[in-house]
Amino acid sequence: MLDNATKRKIDSARNILVGKVPDPKAQVEQITTALVYKFMDDMDTENEEAGLSAQFFIDDYAKYSWRKIMDNRLSGQERMDLYVEAVANIPKSKNIPQLFRDIFKGAFLPFRDPRTLSLFLKEINEFNYDNSENLGNAFEYLLSILGSQGDAGQFRTPRHIIDFIVEVVNPKKNETVLDPACGTAGFLISAYKHILKTNSSNFKPEEEKVEDKIAQGETATETIIADKINYSGDLLSPDDKTKLTHNIAGYDISPDMVKLALVNLYLHGFSDPKIFEYDTLSSDKRWDETFDVILANPPFMTPKGGIVPHKKFSIQANRAEVLFVDYIAEHLSIKGRAGIIVPEGIIFQSANAYKNLRKNLIENWGLYAVVSLPSGVFQPYSGVKTSILLMDREFAKKTDEILFLKVEHDGFDLGAQRRKIEKNDLPECLQILESWKKNVGAKNFLQEWNKNFCSVPKQKIAENGDYNLTGERYKIDLPESLKANFETITKALEPHQKIFKDIVERHQKQAEQIQKSIQPVIDQFQKQQESINEAFASLQEPIKQMQKAFEGYDFSKLQELAELAKEELSKNQWPMVELGEILDYEQPTNYIVETENYNDKYKTPVLTAGKSFLLGYTNEENDIFPTENLPVIIFDDFTTATKFVNFPFKVKSSAMKILKAKENASISYVFYMMQKLNFDASQHKRYWISQYSKIKIPLPPLEVQEQIVAKIEQYQKVIDGAKQVVENWKPSFRINPSWEMVELGEVCEFTQGIQIPQSEQIREYKEGYKRYIYISDLLHDEKLIFVKDKYSNKEVSEDDLIMVNTGNTSGKVFWGKTGVLSNNVFKISYKANLDSKYLYFNLSSDFFYKKLSTYFKQGAQPHLGHKIIAEQKIPLPPLEIQKQIVAEIEAEQKVVIANKGLIEKMEKKIEAKIGEVWGEEI
């Protein structure tokens, strides 16, 4: 529980900053940076007092220690200069762990008042780092001032609502936990505390009152410090605690939120927090991950133009709230559970995406309860109406009903301060939910109706096809005198049910019409808010650049800033010129390629049409294009492909044009700019005559064009050199004549795969199935097939080698795969005196493959039998030498991999440089 003295120190630090840093988010960033700075120095001090060496502020960074910053002999200006320099350089220190470098990345001091900074640092100096729960609670309290966490419908979730959801979902110590829109990690901290509590010797569940499960302070904000008992999790072993911190993960699209979440978890004992900057809806890199528990209050607002999601979602939509619920549901494990706060549109909107989402929730994704929250839960930041969706895939199979609960009062008033009141429905809701699950659904609820909850059969919810999740729509209030005879009365009311249903549906339609009529007003407001947010966001980077330029009062940087501004202003101000104004073209003669090989008779080069522009040779001597040995662009009308060449040649197809630059343009520059143009080649239009010459590109002065080309060609030279390394490297080693040459059949065993009936194949993995290894799967890992795991005698492990025995890839070897073999491949298992990687490098070498290719019959489908492979010989040195050879080859491979990375990096630089000319934001 946070003590008031620590709370006052946090408030005091904020009050010092508020005159210079009015934005609450910026205040939190400054306090976070300073606290972590102070704590690193505290850890260095602890090491030194224990007779150990400091670990952070050493060598060239010793001058930046917090103790040096707080030296009373420094003037205010000297302290500020040293602090600004330290904050900028700390991320560069190799002695500081990546976690702290990430926290300091991009940090800066937004004001230049030495007195304010000295007062602020003096207040921070009062904090002492001991990795205690108290300090973590202090930081949570600091985060509570953020309120609105962004401009995309993100609002701080009140702690008592978080704790309520966590109590219901009840995460366990060995379960994985995720928040895919984690903000400052409030849900993850609450889940962690819940697991500590339930694994503490001082936790007495039979004595715990329901109201104590959901802590509440005097205001919703102060709930953060309302914990009555400290639970240490002493029943967890060290391994349990380590595994627990690795099982809890969070994603957020905002780097600022990621930074705050990292600090929050670190101060709660997470030495290596698993928080990732990740776009949950647009990126699919983490799509294959699943979790046992998912807790979230995802963003409600959809950006202008909608979300552009990837293609793996079950629900086709571009609304953020729909996609987040879909994502959460699809990433639960088989027995997974979830608690999600959603806007009211999810509950009743009639668009197809919303209906399909609700249908999946009820029929496939384990929804078992809906908790309606009051409209003011997010006051004073928003009055949006929300509900909680509770999912449990295992429990939902045991009941055919959905439980609806209505929270009219959450323990606080609806004013801006959200002060505590007597009325609180959350404890009762928690009791109802626990009883509901304990008694397997509706068994004890069928005869019991209450104004705040009811249970409804899933079949009834699905009756009219819209799967509406508004509890009030299905609830019937009965007098106390009638409850005992509920079944009798129900039968008596059956003739009147249609009338009642018509009335309910009529009122529902009226409500939907009202919602539809006010939606344009809401949308217009959101658009205005988005425009304001976009304008504000566009100012942030120029402000940071200006602040950086003025750091340390080095006014010489003003000239650099002016040049940068000049360069920025020049973007998009270059004239847009039609290609027809800067290019001439020639129509070539249609030649026939006599041969693809160069020899004395056929030595005139010829280019053929198509995207690949294959080079052939002819014996024609006349009309060579171009007549001068100058660089030109070859343009193909039908495919809109282009090629840049600088040698005399003939052209096979008259559909191709030879493009030459006029005096005001560089042909190289034009070629690179044309890479940004895109046409519909499927229509086979003559683009140059009718359309292409009218296309415009930006045209700076010729001198600038040549500078741009020089930079691009500089990158291209690096690419060409790296490609030489990648394309020419082959694994090889010197064979000692003393080594024994053995047939593969003596040291290996071969297992042929089988053809499995399609009736036993599926496209998506499920328990009891394994991957079915086809040739195409080995090459591309696309459209994977899975089969029943009863074919254990045909399985392959990661240590086995797989060889293709039919088709154009016969003889190719693969390693590191698992699954069941198809009939087009076979497994090679090796004996103890043979290293698997050594065997792999032998079988995948060009020399070995060329030996195998001699067995392919001319004109026939290539095919290899086991006997052919078994008869092939390989050198067999001692096992120790095999491992040395493998180590040497793998060291070479690292160089090749590094060159592949260099190629990708340089290609992106070229793309960025071209995009920069077109005015794209880099």
Side-chain angles (χ1 to χ4, degrees):
M1 179 176 178
L2 179 63
D3 61 276
N4 287 324
T6 305
K7 177 178 176 294
R8 282 196 298 271
K9 282 190 286 188
I10 292 175
D11 291 337
S12 177
R14 285 187 54 227
N15 291 334
I16 292 170
L17 291 176
V18 72
K20 302 293 182 182
V21 188
D23 178 25
K25 182 172 176 291
Q27 295 168 16
V28 172
E29 289 176 350
Q30 291 304 310
I31 295 173
T32 299
T33 301
L35 280 174
V36 175
Y37 193 165
K38 169 67 164 57
F39 296 159
M40 286 194 296
D41 195 68
D42 285 350
M43 285 184 268
D44 274 354
T45 301
E46 288 179 2
N47 283 348
E48 291 167 352
E49 289 175 353
L52 304 173
S53 299
Q55 64 182 110
F56 301 129
F57 298 105
I58 59 175
D59 301 329
D60 294 339
Y61 291 85
K63 62 183 178 181
Y64 298 136
S65 73
W66 182 268
R67 284 163 285 180
K68 299 285 181 64
I69 294 284
M70 299 307 297
D71 191 334
N72 290 330
R73 292 173 293 183
L74 293 178
S75 67
Q77 185 63 50
E78 290 172 334
R79 178 176 293 108
M80 187 176 71
D81 292 344
L82 185 58
Y83 183 82
V84 169
E85 182 182 343
V87 169
N89 284 298
I90 284 175
K92 304 173 186 177
S93 173
K94 295 181 179 179
N95 297 312
I96 294 177
Q98 188 64 45
L99 169 64
F100 295 134
R101 280 186 276 159
D102 289 344
I103 292 168
F104 275 83
K105 185 178 180 181
F108 67 96
L109 187 66
F111 61 88
R112 289 295 182 272
D113 182 354
R115 181 176 178 276
T116 299
L117 179 63
S118 293
L119 290 172
F120 171 63
L121 296 183
K122 183 179 179 181
E123 198 66 52
I124 297 298
N125 199 47
E126 295 296 317
F127 290 88
N128 291 305
Y129 175 72
D130 58 5
N131 208 19
S132 68
E133 177 71 4
N134 188 53
L135 193 54
N137 281 339
F139 191 71
E140 283 190 73
Y141 170 70
L142 174 64
L143 295 179
S144 71
I145 71 169
L146 278 179
S148 176
Q149 295 178 351
D151 56 8
Q154 299 167 282
F155 302 103
R156 174 183 172 269
T157 313
R159 165 71 179 275
H160 63 291
I161 300 298
I162 290 176
D163 287 351
F164 170 79
I165 295 173
V166 170
E167 281 291 333
V168 174
V169 178
N170 190 25
K172 307 292 195 307
K173 70 175 183 178
N174 291 321
E175 293 181 322
T176 52
V177 181
L178 172 71
D179 184 345
C182 67
T184 59
F187 270 107
L188 302 180
I189 295 296
S190 182
Y192 175 68
K193 289 182 176 181
H194 177 84
I195 295 171
L196 289 182
K197 179 181 76 171
T198 55
N199 289 275
S200 296
S201 57
N202 61 334
F203 172 57
K204 309 295 182 184
E206 67 281 357
E207 298 176 6
E208 188 181 35
K209 297 179 181 178
V210 180
E211 53 268 25
D212 291 338
K213 294 182 179 181
I214 312 168
Q216 288 192 309
E218 290 305 310
T219 67
T221 299
E222 290 180 349
T223 292
I224 200 70
I225 60 173
D227 295 320
K228 296 181 179 180
I229 303 175
N230 181 39
Y231 296 102
S232 63
D234 57 304
L235 298 181
L236 296 171
S237 67
D239 287 343
D240 286 338
K241 290 186 176 181
T242 299
K243 185 176 181 181
L244 174 58
T245 59
H246 282 81
N247 280 349
I248 294 177
Y251 311 148
D252 203 285
I253 195 173
S254 166
D256 291 335
M257 290 299 108
V258 169
K259 181 184 294 187
L260 295 176
L262 286 171
V263 176
N264 200 5
L265 287 171
Y266 179 79
L267 294 179
H268 281 87
F270 288 66
S271 59
D272 184 21
K274 305 301 179 185
I275 302 294
F276 305 97
E277 183 179 339
Y278 180 64
D279 187 342
T280 306
L281 304 184
S282 298
S283 175
D284 63 355
K285 291 182 179 179
R286 296 183 174 275
W287 184 263
D288 294 332
E289 298 176 356
T290 58
F291 293 82
D292 302 311
V293 171
I294 301 182
L295 307 161
N297 177 16
F300 296 167
M301 187 182 295
T302 298
K304 185 177 182 181
I307 303 290
V308 183
H310 53 75
K311 304 300 182 183
K312 296 186 178 181
F313 288 92
S314 295
I315 306 300
Q316 300 302 309
N318 62 359
R319 301 293 299 180
E321 64 270 25
V322 174
L323 292 169
F324 264 109
V325 175
D326 183 336
Y327 183 95
I328 291 168
E330 294 198 64
H331 287 77
L332 284 176
S333 61
I334 296 175
K335 297 182 180 180
R337 309 184 303 286
I340 321 165
I341 298 176
V342 297
E344 203 66 351
I346 292 289
I347 303 301
F348 66 83
Q349 280 203 20
S350 57
N352 286 335
Y354 290 88
K355 288 195 290 188
N356 291 336
L357 181 73
R358 293 192 294 266
K359 179 180 180 181
N360 272 299
L361 282 168
I362 293 172
E363 296 182 356
N364 304 316
W365 291 340
L367 180 72
Y368 72 90
V370 180
V371 181
S372 174
L373 296 174
S375 298
V377 165
F378 290 107
Q379 291 287 13
Y381 314 110
S382 172
V384 63
K385 177 76 174 69
T386 59
S387 293
I388 302 169
L389 302 182
L390 296 171
M391 300 158 64
D392 186 326
R393 288 195 162 180
E394 187 174 31
F395 172 77
K397 296 176 183 177
K398 301 176 183 178
T399 177
D400 59 355
E401 301 208 354
I402 300 291
L403 179 64
F404 292 91
L405 302 101
K406 181 178 180 181
V407 176
E408 294 182 335
H409 306 284
D410 68 334
F412 299 97
D413 64 25
L414 301 182
Q417 298 300 318
R418 295 280 279 138
R419 299 189 182 281
K420 188 175 183 179
I421 60 175
E422 289 293 326
K423 295 180 179 180
N424 185 2
D425 300 330
L426 290 177
E428 182 186 16
C429 284
L430 185 57
Q431 277 185 315
I432 293 169
L433 284 161
E434 289 176 348
S435 178
W436 170 264
K437 297 192 74 172
K438 184 177 180 181
N439 293 285
V440 191
K443 289 182 179 179
N444 290 346
F445 291 82
L446 289 173
Q447 306 287 331
E448 186 174 345
W449 292 85
N450 181 288
K451 67 185 183 71
N452 285 337
F453 70 91
C454 69
S455 59
V456 182
K458 296 175 184 178
Q459 184 179 359
K460 183 174 182 61
I461 297 173
E463 276 182 355
N464 63 358
D466 69 353
Y467 293 84
N468 193 298
L469 294 178
T470 305
E472 296 291 332
R473 179 174 184 172
Y474 309 102
K475 192 164 63 178
I476 306 172
D477 290 326
L478 299 176
E480 288 290 331
S481 60
L482 297 180
K483 286 185 179 179
N485 301 311
F486 179 81
E487 292 183 1
T488 304
I489 295 168
T490 300
K491 291 181 180 180
L493 290 175
E494 284 179 356
H496 305 284
Q497 284 181 346
K498 186 178 185 306
I499 298 173
F500 176 80
K501 181 180 178 181
D502 291 342
I503 294 172
V504 172
E505 289 180 352
R506 186 166 64 251
H507 284 292
Q508 182 64 31
K509 287 180 181 178
Q510 290 175 352
E512 291 175 353
Q513 289 173 354
I514 294 171
Q515 174 69 21
K516 186 176 180 180
S517 65
I518 66 173
Q519 192 61 44
V521 179
I522 297 173
D523 291 343
Q524 182 63 29
F525 173 80
Q526 289 180 342
K527 288 179 181 178
Q528 293 174 353
Q529 184 65 37
E530 290 166 5
S531 299
I532 294 171
N533 291 334
E534 289 173 1
F536 179 80
S538 67
L539 295 174
Q540 299 308 301
E541 187 59 30
I543 290 173
K544 288 182 180 179
Q545 289 183 359
M546 186 175 294
Q547 289 169 337
K548 185 176 181 181
F550 279 93
E551 284 178 4
Y553 299 103
D554 184 4
F555 288 100
S556 64
K557 291 186 178 180
L558 285 176
Q559 182 62 33
E560 297 176 11
L561 187 63
E563 292 298 326
L564 177 63
K566 181 179 179 181
E567 182 180 340
E568 291 296 322
L569 287 173
S570 69
K571 291 179 181 178
N572 293 325
Q573 292 188 0
W574 290 329
M576 300 295 290
V577 179
E578 292 182 356
L579 287 175
E581 298 178 20
I582 57 176
L583 292 176
D584 288 325
Y585 78 92
E586 296 182 30
Q587 182 75 46
T589 308
N590 190 357
Y591 285 96
I592 298 176
V593 180
E594 301 287 349
T595 176
E596 294 182 358
N597 300 315
Y598 177 89
N599 56 45
D600 291 337
K601 181 180 179 181
Y602 302 103
K603 54 188 177 182
T604 303
V606 178
L607 290 178
T608 66
K611 290 186 177 180
S612 58
F613 288 104
L614 297 176
L615 180 64
Y617 293 91
T618 184
N619 57 7
E620 295 283 349
E621 295 293 339
N622 301 320
D623 300 326
I624 296 177
F625 292 94
T627 55
E628 300 177 20
N629 190 9
L630 296 174
V632 296
I633 298 174
I634 298 298
F635 175 78
D636 181 3
D637 278 341
F638 288 105
T639 65
T640 69
T642 55
K643 185 176 181 65
F644 188 68
V645 294
N646 62 353
F647 55 84
F649 56 86
K650 289 178 179 289
V651 177
K652 175 184 177 183
S653 172
S654 60
M656 300 162 65
K657 303 291 186 298
I658 301 173
L659 310 184
K660 298 181 180 179
K662 297 181 180 179
E663 293 183 355
N664 61 337
S666 159
I667 191 67
S668 303
Y669 170 81
V670 176
F671 173 74
Y672 289 121
M673 293 307 105
M674 287 170 66
Q675 308 311 303
K676 293 291 291 184
L677 304 177
N678 184 26
F679 300 94
D680 183 5
S682 65
Q683 299 301 317
H684 289 192
K685 294 180 180 178
R686 297 286 178 164
Y687 283 111
W688 177 253
I689 296 174
S690 61
Q691 297 178 13
Y692 198 87
S693 62
K694 300 298 182 182
I695 296 297
K696 293 183 178 181
I697 67 169
L699 190 72
L702 188 60
E703 179 183 357
V704 177
Q705 296 178 40
E706 292 172 348
Q707 292 173 358
I708 294 169
V709 170
K711 178 61 69 174
I712 293 175
E713 289 179 344
Q714 178 183 351
Y715 297 145
Q716 188 61 48
K717 287 179 181 178
V718 178
I719 292 173
D720 294 340
K723 282 185 176 180
Q724 286 289 323
V725 175
V726 173
E727 293 171 359
N728 293 322
W729 180 84
K730 303 292 181 185
S732 62
F733 57 90
R734 181 173 295 177
I735 299 175
N736 190 320
S738 65
W739 294 345
E740 181 184 4
M741 298 295 291
V742 299
E743 291 186 353
L744 286 174
E746 298 177 22
V747 293
C748 297
E749 294 180 356
F750 306 92
T751 304
Q752 178 67 47
I754 60 173
Q755 177 68 43
I756 296 178
Q758 288 190 354
S759 61
E760 297 186 17
Q761 301 178 17
I762 59 173
R763 286 287 181 184
E764 295 183 3
Y765 172 78
K766 68 179 182 179
E767 191 172 359
Y769 280 72
K770 293 188 176 180
R771 178 178 175 178
Y772 190 30
I773 300 179
Y774 282 98
I775 298 175
S776 59
D777 296 334
L778 292 170
L779 296 173
H780 307 296
D781 279 346
E782 293 179 353
K783 297 182 179 178
L784 301 184
I785 301 296
F786 301 93
V787 299
K788 294 180 179 179
D789 59 5
K790 66 181 181 180
Y791 302 97
S792 58
N793 60 326
K794 299 298 181 181
E795 287 185 19
V796 62
S797 69
E798 291 184 351
D799 292 331
D800 294 323
L801 275 65
I802 303 173
M803 180 174 283
V804 179
N805 70 340
T806 187
N808 294 331
T809 54
S810 290
K812 292 294 184 183
V813 182
F814 300 88
W815 183 69
K817 304 287 185 179
T818 61
V820 179
L821 300 168
S822 70
N823 61 324
N824 295 324
V825 299
F826 59 85
K827 174 175 67 173
I828 303 176
S829 304
Y830 56 92
K831 297 181 181 179
N833 62 338
L834 184 61
D835 183 86
S836 60
K837 290 186 179 179
Y838 174 77
L839 176 62
Y840 171 74
F841 288 134
N842 270 278
L843 301 190
S844 59
S845 67
D846 282 350
F847 174 75
F848 191 85
Y849 185 71
K850 287 177 182 177
K851 284 176 60 179
L852 294 183
S853 64
T854 61
Y855 293 92
F856 300 156
K857 295 181 180 179
Q858 184 70 25
Q861 176 82 344
H863 183 81
L864 290 171
H866 295 168
K867 291 184 179 180
I868 294 175
I869 305 301
E871 293 171 355
Q872 305 306 311
K873 291 184 177 182
I874 65 169
L876 189 67
L879 189 59
E880 182 179 351
I881 295 178
Q882 294 178 38
K883 293 184 181 296
Q884 291 176 1
I885 292 171
V886 168
E888 291 172 1
I889 293 176
E890 288 183 334
E892 294 176 3
Q893 279 184 322
K894 289 181 180 178
V895 176
V896 175
I897 292 171
N899 276 274
K900 289 180 179 178
L902 184 60
I903 292 170
E904 182 179 355
K905 184 177 181 180
M906 292 298 107
E907 287 175 343
K908 288 182 179 178
K909 283 181 176 286
I910 291 176
E911 182 181 350
K913 190 64 181 177
I914 295 173
E916 181 183 332
V917 179
W918 284 85
E920 295 179 355
E921 183 177 352
I922 308 302

